[in-house]
Amino acid sequence: MKKNLLLRRLVIPTFASLIAVASPLITLGAAAKEKVPQETSPSTLREPETGFRVLPYLQSPTSTSMTISWVSELNEPGNVIITGPGIKMKKLISAPHYMELMEYTEKELKQELTYNSGNGVVETIPQGSWLKSNSNYKHSVTIDGLQPNSTYHITVKQGKGTHTSRFETFPERENWDKLKLIAFSDSETEPFGALEHREWELHTVNPYAPGSEERPGKGSAFDKKYGNAARNNMFLVRYSLDQQTALNENLAHIEKEDPDALIITGDLTQGSGYQPGWDEFWRHFAGEFTDIASKTPILPALGNWETYAAINSGYGSDADRTPAVISRNRFHEYFDTPGDAENPQFKDSYYRTDMGPVTLLTLDSTNGIPDESTVTKTFTGSVYSGNDSVLKELVWAEQGVNGDPYITTDTQGEFTAESYYDAYTKVFKGTTTKDSDLPNFNPGTEQYKWAERQLKDAREKGQIILVQFHHAAYSSGVHGTPPNHTKADNQSGVAMRVYSPLFEKYGVATVISGHDEMFERSWVDLDGDGRGFHSYDVGVAADGLRGEKMIKDENGNYVPQDYNTYTQWSATQDEPEFWQTNKNGVKQLIDGGLHYGHLQMDFVKTANGTELTLTPVYIFPILDDNYDLVRTERRVYHDVQKIHFDKMGNVIPNVELISKSDFSGRRI
Ligand SMILES: [Fe+2]
């Protein structure tokens, strides 16, 4: 089990904890028992070292080429040796460039991490132990002329470091048999994730399966071990896995499946402008924990956390949005995507990936114009209450507010596009506001026109079409309601519904999003012709474990808001928990409930076309009688979907629901 390989925890028994728990150390795991004097002085960064800071990771995959990128701390060229079909041995030398944006800030150097789990126990990590040197050099080489559907071996040498891996090129559209993609979102990595166990939401109306006992409560052994955090006025024990362990376990199960690509639908780090967040991200994907990105290409999307600088002034202020600009451009620095060739200023904001018979469009949902904000009470449409059935998305693109008085147009209420454009010119000297990397997504914009061109082209070529963007347009979570709602959210994805008619017109099969940190599936068929698309929130990579947005009813009880009328299934609503006390008198979760996980998509060629199986996977923790983690199991929620396509990639209507969310008791 990969757990806390780098970060040694310290436990500080507080005065409160000494009262609450006779011996707080007894309740903690082996890793936490070692008591070491706390280092309180700010860290001294180590000198740059030879070798890799970030191991080689695969980018811009096609059937005939691959880009291999990595990061070193020293300014010395590395090289890649590649062997495989059609290539005896090819050597490519890299030309490193310094990544100016990646240097630690003063606040990052001085940061201290202290975690209070709510049960009186406080934990910390030795100050600065998570920091590396302050030097980052990016290397990228692109290898062309590869053969489709073939395995290549690469050896990358960087100074005294050597790393070997293998990858497979995508198949051609006409010559393939199967393809496996895995998607998740909201990994939101940060060093603090080694300490923090997140709040673990429980449905207020449907919490338990028949025959289940209730969750461990206040003062229980589970509470003493993992602490607690209230949500919706309920006492809730925290989740048993810290976020670092959760991502390690999630990735370990993904690695076993060996997918052809890993789709990460935004919010990769807990603040893209916070460099320790990126260090932690790469530890997981191309570093000490795994090198999955060396074998499996990552296809990332920009989320709101990619415009957020965390302790370095968040989204910035009206007077200075440079933190948001630095954040987005760190994402662009790390990732190498095809982008939009006609609008290179947008860098890696949106792009197309063809994987044999499947086309994935990645959109940038982070900014819509006209700007809206719940803070300044700026709305495009009128304010309303109730659910989303008043919306007329079918006319949004053509008629705007004239066709629907309740239209919404923005996903980011924290800043205006104009303030971002101005800041861009401050970060990148010699540029004008027109050079900004922030696209708008609404009709008439370059991104919207690009998306329609790609959809049309992919449809004409007979592709199966998937789309990903961060802000779930159909969500029952806290971001589900738009800014012009009486129970508003300032970063809602509802404005992205402007794409739904296009998605239906061109036969998009599935839309993958995140942002609400739920596991939810909605079914969208606006024109009611039986053809539509699934819209997922797969925001369960490793951060929040959230459920439906709850509001107080007239009796003061928390009930689901039920804004999203398209919802079909969610892990909190439809997978109730089943707890049972074992023969040793220890209450254990047997199954059900909300867990970390991912969406697996298996495409198989059939005699008549293609079959796609969408499998919502959850990573279930098995705990011993002390509530220490023994292992995690890969389990599947009761909402596996199948989609059939004809030979031209068209969805065949009447989606077959092979497994309903009909949980009815213990399942081993
Ligand atoms: Fe988000």
Side-chain angles (χ1 to χ4, degrees):
M1 181 159 302
K2 301 158 189 161
K3 182 175 168 62
N4 296 323
L5 294 183
L6 282 180
L7 308 176
R8 185 177 53 183
R9 296 180 185 195
L10 305 177
V11 180
I12 307 169
T14 60
F15 180 67
S17 73
L18 289 170
I19 294 170
V21 184
S23 176
L25 296 183
I26 291 170
T27 65
L28 295 159
K33 284 180 185 169
E34 184 188 3
K35 198 175 172 193
V36 185
Q38 190 188 4
E39 299 160 29
T40 51
S41 58
S43 61
T44 309
L45 285 180
R46 67 169 168 76
E47 290 298 310
E49 293 174 355
T50 187
F52 298 98
R53 181 178 180 124
V54 176
L55 291 174
Y57 55 100
L58 306 176
Q59 288 285 281
S60 291
T62 76
S63 57
T64 58
S65 66
M66 187 69 80
T67 296
I68 300 162
S69 301
W70 66 95
V71 181
S72 68
E73 295 182 350
L74 295 177
N75 183 15
E76 47 189 13
N79 65 66
V80 180
I81 296 168
I82 180 161
T83 57
I87 298 178
K88 269 191 181 165
M89 195 174 90
K90 192 173 184 177
K91 184 172 177 180
L92 293 156
I93 312 283
S94 69
H97 78 265
Y98 190 65
M99 303 168 91
E100 280 180 35
L101 297 177
M102 309 307 184
E103 289 182 7
Y104 295 126
T105 64
E106 279 302 306
K107 281 183 179 167
E108 288 167 0
L109 294 175
K110 290 177 181 162
Q111 188 183 22
E112 299 194 12
L113 299 177
T114 301
Y115 168 64
N116 187 338
S117 63
N119 63 5
V121 176
V122 178
E123 292 182 279
T124 187
I125 306 173
Q127 201 282 327
S129 60
W130 53 88
L131 300 174
K132 303 196 170 202
S133 83
N134 220 351
S135 179
N136 296 268
Y137 288 90
K138 172 86 180 288
H139 304 248
S140 274
V141 298
T142 297
I143 306 163
D144 296 307
L146 305 178
Q147 293 181 9
N149 212 15
S150 301
T151 302
Y152 289 88
H153 290 86
I154 49 171
T155 300
V156 184
K157 289 194 172 156
Q158 179 60 47
K160 291 182 181 165
T162 301
H163 185 266
T164 59
S165 66
R166 57 105 190 106
F167 66 80
E168 281 175 42
T169 48
F170 288 142
E172 288 178 303
R173 179 182 145 62
E174 303 305 332
N175 186 16
W176 73 288
D177 52 4
K178 57 188 177 183
L179 190 78
K180 182 182 297 192
L181 306 176
I182 287 182
F184 64 16
S185 177
D186 301 78
S187 41
E188 299 186 21
T189 53
E190 57 177 331
F192 191 60
L195 294 174
E196 190 183 24
H197 295 247
R198 290 303 298 264
E199 68 278 5
W200 185 21
E201 284 214 8
L202 186 63
H203 204 266
T204 58
V205 180
N206 188 32
Y208 301 116
S212 172
E213 298 171 32
E214 291 194 359
R215 258 192 200 186
K218 196 171 178 60
S220 63
F222 205 102
D223 177 22
K224 286 174 184 165
K225 186 99 182 173
Y226 297 119
N228 57 75
R231 295 280 282 189
N232 303 315
N233 214 21
M234 291 168 86
F235 173 92
L236 295 174
V237 288
R238 288 175 184 266
Y239 198 64
S240 57
L241 306 186
D242 63 68
Q243 295 170 86
Q244 188 184 72
T245 305
L247 188 51
N248 280 335
E249 292 297 312
N250 212 345
L251 285 175
H253 289 283
I254 291 171
E255 271 193 299
K256 277 188 208 158
E257 293 294 325
D258 193 19
D260 292 288
L262 179 56
I263 294 166
I264 312 182
T265 314
D267 284 6
L268 282 65
T269 68
Q270 196 82 21
S272 184
Y274 169 60
Q275 190 56 29
W278 280 112
D279 292 339
E280 181 73 4
F281 179 86
W282 292 116
R283 272 182 192 119
H284 282 284
F285 290 87
E288 292 91 328
F289 294 151
T290 85
D291 64 350
I292 188 171
S294 303
K295 299 169 287 193
T296 306
I298 291 177
L299 304 173
L302 278 151
N304 56 298
W305 284 96
E306 275 69 46
T307 60
Y308 190 76
I311 59 170
N312 302 308
S313 303
Y315 293 110
S317 63
D318 279 338
D320 180 15
R321 291 283 168 218
T322 56
V325 175
I326 291 167
S327 298
R328 275 181 68 92
N329 282 275
R330 279 192 178 161
F331 176 95
H332 294 314
E333 276 268 48
Y334 278 125
F335 295 110
D336 305 288
T337 78
D340 173 1
E342 291 177 23
N343 290 283
Q345 73 276 18
F346 297 136
K347 301 179 183 173
D348 302 292
S349 298
Y350 56 91
Y351 60 97
R352 169 172 171 168
T353 310
D354 287 306
M355 302 171 266
V358 177
T359 293
L360 171 72
L361 300 186
T362 297
L363 301 182
D364 180 354
S365 60
T366 60
N367 177 62
I369 301 174
D371 287 301
E372 294 181 287
S373 170
T374 59
V375 179
T376 58
K377 303 248 182 288
T378 308
F379 311 122
T380 303
S382 307
V383 175
Y384 64 102
S385 58
N387 65 29
D388 62 3
S389 58
V390 299
L391 298 181
K392 299 189 182 82
E393 299 97 316
L394 281 169
V395 298
W396 280 14
E398 281 77 32
Q399 300 172 39
V401 72
N402 296 322
D404 183 354
Y406 304 114
I407 188 174
T408 176
T409 53
D410 198 5
T411 53
Q412 178 53 283
E414 299 294 326
F415 60 84
T416 63
E418 209 61 49
S419 68
Y420 184 95
Y421 303 154
D422 286 342
Y424 190 87
T425 64
K426 290 180 192 155
V427 174
F428 296 99
K429 300 284 180 246
T431 61
T432 71
T433 53
K434 286 197 170 64
D435 298 317
S436 163
D437 66 301
L438 182 68
N440 181 0
F441 58 68
N442 275 308
T445 64
E446 296 303 330
Q447 180 174 202
Y448 187 92
K449 287 187 271 188
W450 175 90
E452 180 155 26
R453 282 199 304 274
Q454 305 310 318
L455 290 166
K456 187 165 185 289
D457 177 76
R459 180 77 285 114
E460 285 171 0
K461 288 182 171 141
Q463 294 291 95
I464 294 165
I465 308 174
L466 306 178
V467 178
Q468 70 157 336
F469 53 82
H470 179 64
H471 297 72
Y474 300 87
S475 170
S476 304
V478 293
H479 295 305
T481 43
N484 57 321
H485 192 275
T486 49
K487 297 199 182 298
D489 182 70
N490 214 19
Q491 296 188 326
S492 169
V494 174
M496 286 302 284
R497 294 190 187 191
V498 73
Y499 282 90
S500 296
L502 276 189
F503 295 164
E504 287 208 57
K505 179 178 176 186
Y506 293 105
V508 169
T510 295
V511 174
I512 304 152
S513 295
H515 192 44
D516 247 321
E517 302 183 353
M518 292 178 64
F519 212 167
E520 183 177 20
R521 180 179 62 83
S522 299
W523 169 250
V524 182
D525 175 15
L526 295 176
D527 56 9
D529 68 349
R531 292 173 196 265
F533 58 89
H534 296 294
S535 173
Y536 280 92
D537 179 343
V538 296
V540 284
D543 196 55
L545 286 168
R546 296 208 298 253
E548 284 73 3
K549 182 177 179 180
M550 301 287 172
I551 54 172
K552 271 188 191 172
D553 67 10
E554 57 273 19
N555 301 318
N557 298 319
Y558 280 84
V559 295
Q561 183 178 15
D562 288 336
Y563 174 79
N564 172 23
T565 58
Y566 299 83
T567 188
Q568 296 289 312
W569 168 88
S570 90
T572 41
Q573 165 115 12
D574 299 303
E575 307 280 350
E577 296 181 354
F578 186 85
W579 291 84
Q580 199 171 53
T581 300
N582 67 19
K583 61 182 188 312
N584 300 323
V586 179
K587 192 184 280 189
Q588 294 280 10
L589 180 64
I590 307 300
D591 202 3
L594 178 61
H595 302 276
Y596 296 112
H598 52 264
L599 180 68
Q600 183 168 322
M601 290 171 273
D602 290 283
F603 299 84
V604 178
K605 193 173 191 175
T606 64
N608 303 318
T610 301
E611 181 184 87
L612 164 60
T613 307
L614 296 151
T615 307
V617 174
Y618 62 109
I619 306 305
F620 188 86
I622 304 290
L623 309 180
D624 65 16
D625 285 351
N626 295 316
Y627 290 134
D628 283 318
L629 179 64
V630 177
R631 66 180 188 281
T632 58
E633 285 183 2
R634 178 188 184 277
R635 297 188 186 183
V636 172
Y637 281 127
H638 300 76
D639 192 56
V640 176
Q641 298 292 319
K642 287 207 182 238
I643 306 176
H644 294 94
F645 302 88
D646 66 18
K647 287 188 173 167
M648 286 307 288
N650 297 301
V651 176
I652 298 171
N654 298 326
V655 175
E656 180 190 350
L657 192 66
I658 64 162
S659 174
K660 281 194 168 238
S661 39
D662 55 356
F663 188 93
S664 57
R666 178 173 173 161
R667 185 170 64 89
I668 302 297

